[in-house]
Amino acid sequence: MIDKKTSNDILVLKKFIQAYCNMKHKDIQKQSRMIKGPLSFYLKAAPGLCNECIKTLLFAASKRLTCPFIPKPQCKHCTDYCYKEPYRSNIKKIMKFSGIYFIKHGRLDPLWKYLF
């Protein structure tokens, strides 16, 4: 059964990582991949992302699926961090950049999910 909240969380991760990759990794060759396994319910395909961002998206989505807390707290308020380095610093950098990017471009819907 697909949980709507989990699906929305993974969709927001995908949007944030895609915005980051499109702006920061312009010169790197991008590719789309079909996703197989448990993540295929949430990510039909990884959008045109570089290899580093695809790895980050798959890692973050898998961690979201295996979060032991119900309801899931925001990661910044969590007591048990599931992200290990270097993914932890990388996802912080992505969220910060993409949050500012969406505010500057008038897109508040992904930010609304991230903040609340």
Side-chain angles (χ1 to χ4, degrees):
M1 182 166 168
I2 299 174
D3 180 16
K4 185 170 174 61
K5 181 167 176 19
T6 302
S7 182
N8 286 340
D9 287 350
I10 293 174
L11 181 64
V12 168
L13 273 170
K14 183 176 157 183
K15 287 179 183 178
F16 272 60
I17 292 172
Q18 191 168 19
Y20 178 83
C21 189
N22 288 341
M23 297 305 294
K24 290 288 189 172
H25 301 151
K26 291 179 183 178
D27 300 335
I28 300 174
Q29 183 178 355
K30 300 188 179 9
Q31 58 186 348
S32 292
R33 286 191 189 164
M34 292 303 298
I35 306 297
K36 296 178 182 176
L39 291 176
S40 65
F41 291 114
Y42 302 96
L43 297 169
K44 302 299 182 216
L49 299 173
C50 67
N51 283 334
E52 179 187 338
C53 290
I54 287 174
K55 288 178 189 175
T56 303
L57 176 61
L58 293 177
F59 179 81
S62 67
K63 289 299 183 180
R64 174 57 187 101
L65 286 176
T66 59
C67 180
F69 298 106
I70 299 173
K72 184 197 172 304
Q74 290 179 343
C75 292
K76 63 184 176 183
H77 298 300
C78 192
T79 57
D80 184 25
Y81 297 115
C82 55
Y83 287 92
K84 304 296 183 222
E85 290 297 336
Y87 290 106
R88 191 171 182 188
S89 60
N90 195 21
I91 203 72
K92 280 183 178 182
K93 180 174 56 172
I94 289 170
M95 291 296 175
K96 181 178 179 180
F97 174 85
S98 296
I100 293 168
Y101 174 82
F102 284 131
I103 287 174
K104 286 181 179 178
H105 290 85
R107 293 282 317 272
L108 297 178
D109 52 323
L111 264 183
W112 184 260
K113 171 63 186 130
Y114 175 67
L115 295 174
F116 300 103

